[in-house]
Amino acid sequence: MARGLMAQERTDAQSRTGLDTESDPRFYAYYERESLSGATLARFRSIKDKLFALASRQGIATQMLDIADIGCGAGTQSRLWAEDGHRVHGLDVNASLIELARQRANEAGLAIAFDVGSATALPYESGSMDVCLLPELLEHVPDWEGCLNEAVRVLRPRGLLFLSTTNFLCPIQQEFNLPLYSWYPGFVKRRFERLAVTSRPALANHAKYPAVHWFSPYQLTAYLSARGVECFDRFDMIEASRLSTLPRCVVRAVRAARLLRFFGHVLTEGTTIFGVKRCRRSVDVG
């Protein structure tokens, strides 16, 4: 009976979104395993801690928040927030991973609302969320602008945004099993994207929707700023006061000099943006 209901939900979700909600068994197996790894747990805990630190600096309350975890996969990040008593909504286009997320949440005794759906048409009311999380999602969504617009729409004023995605400035990446792929010309990338969804799926780790967009922190900051979100990159979010003398001086130099910050992004895999919707006050990032 449960299998029948889940199969019907997958069919309904595909009808609503027009997207293929299934996945290659090898892709599923990879995320089933990696979603419980120590590295994954540490990364998601770090994101939560940084968002709380940003909220504290902005004078934003952090009790009983409404969380939207977009592209939640197997639900690891959702569970970390739910364990702290927050009201969590997880959404992903991959129906099999959503089933796994529900199973793990039930086993942990956590009430999390998981849905199969599209990041460009979120099933949440405008201004209904305090935190919107978009981890490693934007690069896979053809309409990335619509994805960000939806994230901003569902956030309340002074709501918190987190996103991580590709960085074309840095040659290191994990989306395609090809060296220096971030720096390939666009027409070459298009060819490998086609191969990844046809004859050579291993190029993109058997992803149903491989990465098709490559961003820079500057591009995404400009886009979000125009929509009322004050943005902070990975260097802004480092708590320099906790570092020893030399690293603290390096961080402060990177923040102060645009050229050093640029080279810092060139040397750093991925783009990471933290944001506050309609923030009127500047933040002391330590």
Side-chain angles (χ1 to χ4, degrees):
M1 184 65 173
R3 289 182 180 274
L5 290 173
M6 289 186 290
Q8 183 62 49
E9 180 179 22
R10 287 196 293 270
T11 301
D12 292 343
Q14 186 164 344
S15 298
R16 289 194 309 270
T17 64
L19 298 171
D20 187 345
T21 62
E22 290 303 308
S23 61
D24 186 287
R26 286 163 291 191
F27 177 85
Y28 174 88
Y30 172 80
Y31 277 96
E32 180 183 30
R33 179 180 67 255
E34 288 301 311
S35 60
L36 295 180
S37 72
T40 296
L41 290 167
R43 179 164 58 91
F44 286 148
R45 288 192 181 108
S46 176
I47 291 167
K48 182 162 63 71
D49 290 345
K50 282 181 166 57
L51 283 168
F52 279 166
L54 181 57
S56 176
R57 293 163 189 155
Q58 292 285 332
I60 298 171
T62 57
Q63 291 79 35
M64 290 294 292
L65 302 175
D66 291 299
I67 314 294
D69 185 5
I70 312 304
C72 66
T76 301
Q77 186 165 222
S78 293
R79 293 197 306 279
L80 290 176
W81 287 86
E83 286 169 359
D84 285 349
H86 302 291
R87 296 177 291 266
V88 183
H89 305 260
L91 181 136
D92 201 286
V93 71
N94 189 307
S96 297
L97 287 178
I98 286 292
E99 291 172 15
L100 177 61
R102 287 173 178 160
Q103 174 188 329
R104 288 177 173 175
N106 288 336
E107 291 171 353
L110 298 171
I112 303 173
F114 286 112
D115 292 296
V116 179
S118 169
T120 60
L122 298 179
Y124 314 129
E125 295 293 328
S126 297
S128 61
M129 298 293 167
D130 298 299
V131 178
C132 196
L133 309 166
L134 298 96
E136 285 82 57
L137 171 69
L138 213 58
E139 65 271 24
H140 303 287
V141 182
D143 179 16
W144 67 267
E145 296 98 332
C147 180
L148 286 183
N149 293 344
E150 278 289 272
V152 174
R153 177 186 68 80
V154 302
L155 274 178
R156 296 184 173 113
R158 294 173 62 77
L160 303 172
L161 174 73
F162 167 81
L163 73 86
S164 55
T165 185
T166 53
N167 177 13
F168 71 72
L169 298 176
C170 179
I172 302 170
Q173 53 80 44
Q174 299 182 37
E175 299 297 332
F176 281 78
N177 295 315
L178 294 164
L180 308 179
Y181 184 81
S182 305
W183 288 355
Y184 288 15
F187 73 92
V188 177
K189 284 192 174 93
R190 300 293 87 78
R191 171 166 174 75
F192 284 117
E193 289 164 16
R194 288 193 294 272
L195 289 174
V197 296
T198 54
S199 60
R200 298 184 63 187
L203 281 174
N205 302 308
H206 302 275
K208 183 74 68 173
Y209 300 101
V212 295
H213 298 301
W214 297 81
F215 302 95
S216 76
Y218 305 102
Q219 172 192 6
L220 292 176
T221 293
Y223 188 89
L224 288 166
S225 296
R227 285 150 184 81
V229 177
E230 183 176 1
C231 296
F232 307 91
D233 68 19
R234 65 175 72 246
F235 302 113
D236 294 321
M237 296 303 298
I238 297 172
E239 294 194 52
S241 60
R242 295 188 177 184
L243 302 177
S244 58
T245 302
L246 181 58
R248 183 168 64 251
C249 291
V250 170
V251 169
R252 288 178 173 169
V254 167
R255 289 175 180 168
R258 292 183 179 181
L259 186 59
L260 288 179
R261 188 182 292 251
F262 172 80
F263 282 116
H265 288 309
V266 171
L267 296 173
T268 307
E269 179 184 352
T271 293
T272 299
I273 301 290
F274 292 80
V276 181
K277 184 176 179 179
R278 297 175 184 170
C279 181
R280 293 185 176 86
R281 290 187 294 162
S282 61
V283 61
D284 177 12
V285 291

